[in-house]
Amino acid sequence: MSAVRGALVVKFGGTSLGTPARIRRAARRVAALVSGGRRVVAVVSAMGHTTDHILETLGALETRRGEGPVGREVDRALATGEDLSAALLAAALNALGVPARSLRGGEAGVRADGAFGSARVSRVDARRLRGLLARGVVPVVSGFQGERDDREVATLGRGGSDTSAVAIAAALGHAPCHIVTDVDAVYDRDPRRHSDARPLRRLSHGQLLDLARSGAQVVATEAARLAQAHDVPLRVLGYDAPPQDEECGTWVGVAP
């Protein structure tokens, strides 16, 4: 698995895409990285509370998650949230003059095993992503979803977009992965509940995994596990951080 020179995966959380202004800000971040010589793959979550609204509607229909026809349709409904984000961010990038193309998880080569609603990434066939990057096109990938061997879309559970991003970064040859979220760093405690919480500027993969397992919700546990297993460097930063500021956020698995 050869590395793609200059590759960088940037994952945008739902809050960072919650309004048209924030989508434009995300597009400007990607554009700045591209102008600086990076080959960017963007991975997106559903905007704002889109997933919650879809789940509420499904609940009103008295659906049940799991295998079978209903579970299949639940996952297809949920996947539309990330698909919408991908299309909107790709449109914003093209409006800035940055060639971009939205891709569903399966179209980007993300393969999954397991039941609807709780599948796991089995592998990433990165050939299409590599081809787009080689042509100067930014792939904007729907996170939280993969394609099973039976060609069905399956969602990856809580934090699945983080998992998608790290898996893609690993498939591109241990490319760095930035997690853009609604907090400006990883903290020792939840800063929304503890005013004296301290930002942690550098962590090992093992430390991040311990924090994730203990309930920290900045990076999904499965994503932290994959990052450690595949030695993927991570950076966690807020969506309003200046694109060229290398000091902000938390760096994981990167030597000082």
Side-chain angles (χ1 to χ4, degrees), residues 1-12 33 37-43 129-130 133 161-180 202 205 223 226-228 230-237 246 250-255:
M1 178 178 59
S2 61
V4 176
R5 180 176 296 180
L8 172 65
V9 177
V10 183
K11 181 262 179 177
F12 292 99
L33 291 166
R38 304 308 296 260
R39 296 183 177 183
V40 179
V41 177
V43 177
L129 296 175
R130 288 170 179 263
L133 292 173
S161 293
D162 289 356
T163 306
S164 300
V166 173
I168 288 169
L172 294 174
H174 314 287
C177 178
H178 290 184
I179 306 292
V180 181
R202 291 192 180 274
H205 283 114
L226 281 178
Q228 182 181 49
H230 296 283
D231 196 26
V232 172
L234 298 179
R235 183 186 181 194
V236 179
L237 68 160
E246 293 294 311
T250 298
W251 296 85
V252 181
V254 180

Side-chain angles (χ1 to χ4, degrees), residues 29-149:
R29 178 179 297 279
V30 173
L33 291 166
V34 170
S35 68
R38 304 308 296 260
R39 296 183 177 183
V40 179
V41 177
V43 177
V44 297
S45 297
M47 297 171 59
H49 299 288
T50 300
T51 299
D52 291 337
H53 293 158
I54 294 172
L55 286 171
E56 288 173 6
T57 303
L58 289 166
L61 299 174
E62 299 183 356
T63 59
R64 297 287 188 275
R65 301 186 72 176
E67 283 302 294
V70 174
R72 174 186 186 272
E73 303 308 332
V74 169
D75 267 22
R76 290 177 72 86
L78 290 173
T80 63
E82 280 69 23
D83 292 346
L84 176 59
S85 290
L88 292 174
L89 181 55
L93 283 165
N94 280 293
L96 292 176
V98 179
R101 180 172 298 177
S102 62
L103 299 171
R104 296 185 176 95
E107 293 172 335
V110 179
R111 306 292 178 240
D113 290 333
F116 296 121
S118 60
R120 299 186 71 175
V121 176
S122 59
R123 64 191 186 281
V124 176
D125 180 349
R127 286 177 294 180
R128 187 170 187 183
L129 296 175
R130 288 170 179 263
L132 289 170
L133 292 173
R135 300 202 305 272
V137 178
V138 174
V140 184
V141 181
S142 301
F144 180 60
Q145 58 178 257
E147 184 180 90
R148 304 195 310 192
D149 288 343

